[in-house]
Amino acid sequence: MANVIRSMRDHPSAVLLLGQVVAVLAYPFLDDSTGGRAGLGVLQLLLLLTAVAAVRLTPAFSWAACIFGGPAMIFAVWESVAPETGWVVLASAFFHVPFYLFVSYAMIRYLFRDDEVTRDELFATGAAFTVVAWAFAYLYAAVQVIWPGSFGEHRQWFDLLYLSFTTLTSVGLSDIVPVLPNARSVVMIEQVAGVFYVALVVARLVGLAAARARRA
């Protein structure tokens, strides 16, 4: 047990990535359970707080956690109880989107903090990517409240998460597509973010490999 706790402490990004994967796999089984969806939402945010606190414990993180993370946990539960209430969905997105984007920013800063690539930093590349997908899923939920019919029929949150992952990875597999111009604008922003993220990570790894070769 002590070894497991030590491994989790040494690899917080791996814990976050594993938690994200478990949440994706578990959500379809809990879709009909209000308590299950609420528990997943709170667990997801607790994982984010724990991982980012471990990799970047700064006053800025404390401020963001209080302003956005705390209310996001409340609305994660509230939204699971009232998923069709427009103002609840908008308020949830208002807190979730900036918090998730801040977490991804913190993890990218973690990747660039030194000239060595640790095992946990490699896990952080995947964790930051999934966090961005979650942020856009909440953004899409807000978009379809503000502009009804943005994605054709009204979509559930997990459908929007599926759309976000397929957009961010640019695989184009989703049968859910933006219909209205406003929704298409947001989707295009996520497409650019996905390409930019991959280019950023590849450039970072290539630069470190070149630096290591010069030192050798």
Side-chain angles (χ1 to χ4, degrees):
M1 186 64 181
N3 290 335
V4 173
I5 295 175
R6 187 181 307 109
S7 179
M8 293 173 63
R9 186 179 64 249
D10 294 339
H11 302 92
S13 299
V15 174
L16 174 56
L17 181 59
L18 178 62
Q20 301 276 60
V21 172
V22 170
V24 168
L25 295 176
Y27 196 93
F29 298 98
L30 301 173
D31 192 35
D32 296 328
S33 169
T34 299
R37 292 195 303 270
L40 275 177
V42 173
L43 175 61
Q44 181 72 22
L45 287 165
L46 287 174
L47 282 170
L48 289 172
L49 289 169
T50 302
V52 179
V55 301
R56 193 172 186 268
L57 188 58
T58 67
F61 171 69
S62 301
W63 174 84
C66 293
I67 299 298
F68 296 109
M73 288 187 185
I74 296 173
F75 278 101
V77 177
W78 200 337
E79 190 176 3
S80 68
V81 176
E84 306 300 328
T85 305
W87 76 267
V88 173
V89 174
L90 288 176
S92 180
F94 178 81
F95 290 107
H96 275 95
V97 173
F99 180 70
Y100 276 99
L101 291 178
F102 179 83
V103 169
S104 63
Y105 162 76
M107 303 199 80
I108 290 173
R109 284 288 300 271
Y110 174 51
L111 293 173
F112 282 79
R113 70 176 183 172
D114 52 39
D115 293 332
E116 298 293 331
V117 179
T118 66
R119 183 177 301 174
D120 191 61
E121 287 175 350
L122 291 176
F123 284 120
T125 61
F129 194 77
T130 59
V131 168
V132 173
W134 248 267
F136 274 94
Y138 278 103
L139 186 57
Y140 292 153
V143 165
Q144 75 171 356
V145 170
I146 299 172
W147 296 287
S150 289
F151 304 98
E153 63 184 81
H154 183 81
R155 301 293 182 175
Q156 300 300 317
W157 186 84
F158 191 70
D159 294 331
L160 298 176
L161 181 63
Y162 174 65
L163 170 65
S164 182
F165 268 101
T166 57
T167 300
L168 194 63
T169 54
S170 299
V171 298
L173 293 178
S174 182
D175 55 343
I176 304 168
V177 296
V179 176
L180 300 184
N182 303 89
R184 290 179 175 178
S185 295
V186 178
V187 167
M188 285 189 283
I189 296 298
E190 186 174 17
Q191 289 171 334
V192 172
V195 173
F196 179 76
Y197 181 83
V198 172
L200 182 69
V201 171
V202 170
R204 171 64 171 166
L205 295 178
V206 170
L208 289 175
R212 187 180 299 112
R214 286 195 298 270
R215 287 196 300 268

